[in-house]
Amino acid sequence: MLLVTGVSGALGSLVAERLAGREDVVLGTRAGRPGTRRLDFDAPETLPGAFAGVETLLLISAGYGEDDVVVARHGAAISAAEAAGVRHVVYTSLSGDGDHLTYALAHRWTERRLRRSTTLDWTILRNGLYAEFLTWIAAPDAEHRITGPLGEGRLAAVARADLADIAVSVATDPAAHRNRVYELVGERPLGGADLAAALGAAYVPGTLAEARAAIAASGAMPFQVPMLASTYSAIAHGFLDGTGVARNDLRALLGGREPLDALDVFVKAVREG
Ligand SMILES: NC(=O)c1ccc[n+]([C@@H]2O[C@H](COP(=O)([O-])OP(=O)(O)OC[C@H]3O[C@@H](n4cnc5c(N)ncnc54)[C@H](OP(=O)(O)O)[C@@H]3O)[C@@H](O)[C@H]2O)c1
């Protein structure tokens, strides 16, 4: 039996849609909706029941927070999986070129925790930043200007739907992907000028200092300020344009089909608000 965690989230819900109707799949979420198992990594007492009878766990990385919070969540999930006799954990991580992002640490800790397990097989899906995430950092303002400090940098963004398809394909055939690390980034990196042109907007990149001040003033939580600032900086300085991963496994894991166009996904996401 396969258990998918986090099915109320954007990625988890796409995965759940694709697995609907399968009797060998159970869905887990903090909300514990009808037809799901309640599981909350912040409440480890929910995990033994949720993981009972599970052979494969698709562990969707658990949200945002300070490193100690996210590490504790993922640590609790993996320890509970070991205790429950789970055989294989598929984990949604962060692309290998993302090490300059402040949120990389919790992903790399989780990868290391899985590698050190003496009972679990694992597969690590190193997801690139979502095309949809570009709406957080490069949506046009009221004057129809994109002012995010992307500089001349570009992001190898990838559609969430492609990552959901891959997560399903790997988690439903885990033995074929035993102890493998896959890099999953977009094939066509996008810069601020590309995003603006697609929307008929202007690209007027600000500075990192301006962005940091605006994020702090927006009511963001303290950890979110360096999180977003490090994202801008990594893109602007060329670390996330797709050239930093040794091999992009996206197309191969999509079974040869074309990846979705990240620019189309971004434009649609902006228009849908
Ligand atoms: N590659 C990217 O661009 C990117 C961007 C943003 C985030 N991420 C990471 O990828 C994950 C999935 O992305 P998303 O777009 O689906 O994010 P999302 O819509 O914000 O969903 C957050 C996810 O975290 C789970 N979660 C939070 N706290 C949890 C806890 N205590 N116990 C168990 N699960 C918990 C939620 O599960 P429930 O169903 O229980 O709510 C949900 O699946 C995120 O959580 C984050 O780690 C990646």
Side-chain angles (χ1 to χ4, degrees):
M1 186 162 58
L2 165 65
L3 171 69
V4 182
T5 75
V7 298
S8 299
L11 179 64
S13 59
L14 291 176
V15 169
E17 270 172 27
R18 287 156 171 74
L19 292 167
R22 283 188 61 147
E23 289 185 357
D24 55 347
V25 174
V26 283
L27 307 177
T29 180
R30 285 170 295 173
R33 305 189 310 253
T36 66
R37 293 186 178 187
R38 183 169 116 72
L39 66 84
D40 183 344
F41 304 151
D42 290 328
E45 68 279 8
T46 62
L47 301 180
F51 290 177
V54 171
E55 292 174 342
T56 305
L57 177 69
L58 173 53
L59 172 57
I60 306 267
S61 60
Y64 327 90
E66 297 286 359
D67 289 341
D68 54 353
V69 171
V70 180
V71 163
R73 285 180 186 156
H74 294 175
I78 295 167
S79 295
E82 289 171 331
V86 172
R87 288 196 201 145
H88 194 124
V89 174
V90 178
Y91 172 64
T92 61
S93 188
L94 171 69
S95 56
D97 56 4
D99 282 339
H100 297 286
L101 301 166
T102 57
Y103 39 102
L105 185 146
H107 287 294
R108 300 295 175 249
W109 182 93
T110 307
E111 293 183 4
R112 191 174 64 176
R113 174 69 181 82
L114 286 169
R115 282 198 183 90
R116 289 181 177 174
S117 173
T118 55
T119 63
L120 292 168
D121 289 334
W122 45 265
T123 308
I124 292 164
L125 304 176
R126 285 184 156 186
N127 292 347
L129 296 189
Y130 307 142
E132 293 86 345
F133 179 66
L134 280 168
T135 62
W136 286 35
I137 60 170
D141 64 13
E143 280 89 50
H144 220 48
R145 299 173 315 161
I146 292 176
T147 59
L150 304 172
E152 298 303 310
R154 296 186 301 161
L155 172 66
V158 56
R160 249 201 215 99
D162 284 348
L163 298 172
D165 280 350
I166 289 170
V168 166
S169 138
V170 168
T172 52
D173 185 17
H177 306 281
R178 183 174 167 270
N179 299 356
R180 301 284 303 273
V181 178
Y182 295 116
E183 298 284 350
L184 304 168
V185 300
E187 294 184 343
R188 178 183 161 208
L190 301 173
D194 302 315
L195 303 176
L199 295 170
Y203 178 49
V204 190
T207 64
L208 276 172
E210 287 163 349
R212 191 182 287 273
I215 297 161
S218 73
M221 285 182 274
F223 74 86
Q224 290 178 312
V225 180
M227 183 182 141
L228 290 169
S230 69
T231 303
Y232 283 125
S233 186
I235 296 170
H237 297 106
F239 284 95
L240 294 178
D241 63 4
T243 59
V245 297
R247 189 194 63 231
N248 185 4
D249 298 299
L250 185 72
R251 188 173 285 263
L253 288 196
L254 286 172
R257 84 152 164 82
E258 283 295 311
L260 295 176
D261 187 292
L263 192 56
D264 290 347
V265 173
F266 166 74
V267 169
K268 186 161 175 276
V270 170
R271 296 213 164 119
E272 288 173 354

